[in-house]
Amino acid sequence: MRSRARAKGRDQERKQIVSSENADAGNTHPDDAPSGDGPSAPVWDVVVVGAGPAGASAAYAAAVTGRRVLLLEKAELPRYKTCGGGIIGPSRDALPPGFELPLQDRVHAVTFSLNGRFARTRRAKRMMFGLVNRPEFDAGLVEQAQKAGAELRTGVTVSRVEQHGTTVPDRRTAAVVLADGEVVLARAVVGADGSAGRIGAHVGVKLDQVDLGLEAEIPVPETVAEDWAGRVLIDWGPMPGSYGWGFPKGDTLTVGVISARGEGAATKRYLEDFIARLGLAGFEPAVSSGHLTRCRTDDSPLSRGRVLVCGDAAGLLEPWTREGISFALRSGRLAGEWAVRIAEAGDAVDARRQALNYAFAIKAGLGVEMAVGKRMLTLFAKRPGLLHATLTGFRPAWQAFVDITRGKTTLGGLVRGSSVARRALDALDRRGR
């Protein structure tokens, strides 16, 4: 009797999960799926949309297992991305084995300033982090994915993803529909096409914090470049939560600022003033660009049916610094690994289980870091001077900064693993109110 009762309970649970999965995928009834009797297109194990750090990492992680992986990118590579290009320890540790970073500089010192005032430089004995140009870095990651067996298609725009209807031959398949009408079939899809991409919209990603970043790539003469070599500048800005950066990359300086969306005019003025304060107003930028960064809400989904999202497409980045490369690399690798498991899932129950495992892995790691980052951003927005004084005048705070940039710990790991760090953050919270 107990055996039959347990079996009945498992059957009911299975039906509930299948029903939930069908609702996620937009299915209404098993009979709605095509019979599959007619000719069909080849089915990829994993299709990854977007060839930035998140997508390339996902493609590599899936391809290295021997699965058939297709990587789609709308632009031609290499292409420019608005980004400081800082490669901190967690980013380095998430790179494919043997990947050689195309470093433009190695950072041993940081100058902190408070809207141009109270500048102080702190130095470390060993390199803290490296600086790269995104076109070279992204292209290198894609090359690693290709070497692992992934196939790349560039100049391809994705129109939508479908998990039911006439384009989908069976329940184990999702259809990626391209702008020209071509249908690409896959057992699993990874969305890494940015925060405004199609895949995040399909999954239903909900975004919370939105910020505007402006940046200029400024060629400088050798004498200026020598003054910046091995040192970056971080300036706590005039608007709540804003800051600026100056990153040296050989004969070019990457100078940028970021602040909350809605402060467009003030953000532009901040960048102009920042460049002038650095004595760079007389140099013509080779590139001027801008972009929006977006953080997910705590309850935002990370999957729908056989579709996962990672990186910017999932709204994954550190809320305080808006650092996104390490979040892209780490979430992309996880997405690629779990996409393989979803591709192998024989039914909706197993696919759902694997998707939930992916979400748990993201929330247990990157989600913790984001929660601490939100607390830091709240504190920083209210009391930037307090944070500046702590980083420049309190040695343990500087050492924590060094440890995080080197990858010895993370912001979340520091607070989670140290009672002293937790008490310090609580104390700063109280002082910041």
Side-chain angles (χ1 to χ4, degrees), residues 1 13 89 177 180 232 270 287 292 343 349 373 420 432:
M1 292 290 291
E13 180 183 5
V177 183
D180 63 2
V232 300
Y270 177 30
V287 179
L292 294 176
V349 178
V420 174

Side-chain angles (χ1 to χ4, degrees), residues 18-92:
V18 171
S19 175
S20 172
E21 186 68 13
N22 287 343
D24 285 343
N27 294 329
T28 57
H29 191 275
D31 293 339
D32 291 341
S35 64
D37 293 334
S40 59
V43 181
W44 296 85
D45 292 315
V46 178
V47 169
V48 181
V49 182
S57 295
Y60 173 86
V64 79
T65 67
R67 302 309 190 273
R68 296 182 67 248
V69 178
L70 177 63
L71 178 59
L72 303 176
E73 168 59 42
K74 66 180 180 180
E76 298 295 339
L77 299 178
R79 73 319 184 222
Y80 181 80
K81 286 286 185 179
T82 304
C83 179
I87 304 297
I88 59 176
S91 297
R92 184 194 61 240

Side-chain angles (χ1 to χ4, degrees), residues 309-325:
V309 285
C310 60
D312 287 344
L316 292 168
L317 74 157
E318 202 279 289
W320 173 34
T321 62
R322 290 80 154 186
E323 191 277 322
I325 293 179

Side-chain angles (χ1 to χ4, degrees), residues 89-121:
S91 297
R92 184 194 61 240
D93 295 341
L95 294 169
F99 182 84
E100 293 188 13
L101 279 167
L103 293 180
Q104 301 298 310
D105 206 337
R106 293 167 169 79
V107 177
H108 293 79
V110 181
T111 298
F112 296 100
S113 61
L114 184 62
N115 196 21
R117 301 172 296 148
F118 312 117
R120 182 176 181 184
T121 299

Side-chain angles (χ1 to χ4, degrees), residues 152-312:
L152 172 68
R153 287 182 60 184
T154 60
V156 176
T157 300
V158 171
S159 176
R160 64 187 183 278
V161 175
E162 296 181 355
Q163 299 194 65
H164 68 99
T166 57
T167 59
V168 183
D170 56 60
R171 290 294 181 78
R172 291 188 58 211
T173 308
V176 179
V177 183
L178 308 184
D180 63 2
E182 180 185 351
V183 176
V184 179
L185 300 179
R187 299 298 184 200
V189 176
V190 175
D193 53 340
S195 59
R198 303 286 187 178
I199 314 302
H202 174 80
V203 168
V205 173
K206 294 183 288 185
L207 300 168
D208 184 13
Q209 173 189 328
V210 183
D211 297 287
L212 169 65
L214 300 177
E215 191 172 76
E217 301 283 354
I218 305 176
V220 294
E222 184 177 353
T223 52
V224 175
E226 288 175 353
D227 183 56
W228 281 85
R231 178 179 63 91
V232 300
L233 170 65
I234 297 177
D235 179 71
W236 313 119
M239 297 89 73
S242 67
Y243 77 96
W245 61 90
F247 286 178
K249 298 174 183 176
D251 59 359
T252 300
L253 285 176
T254 298
V255 181
V257 300
I258 195 164
S259 65
R261 183 179 65 172
E263 299 282 351
T267 305
K268 185 177 180 181
R269 285 196 301 272
Y270 177 30
L271 178 61
E272 293 170 348
D273 292 345
F274 186 42
I275 289 174
R277 286 203 307 263
L278 297 178
L280 302 172
F283 301 109
E284 185 68 24
V287 179
S288 295
S289 62
H291 74 298
L292 294 176
T293 64
R294 299 173 172 91
C295 287
R296 67 190 297 272
T297 61
D298 291 337
D299 62 345
S300 181
L302 291 163
S303 67
R304 179 181 176 186
R306 291 179 174 269
V307 180
L308 305 177
V309 285
C310 60
D312 287 344

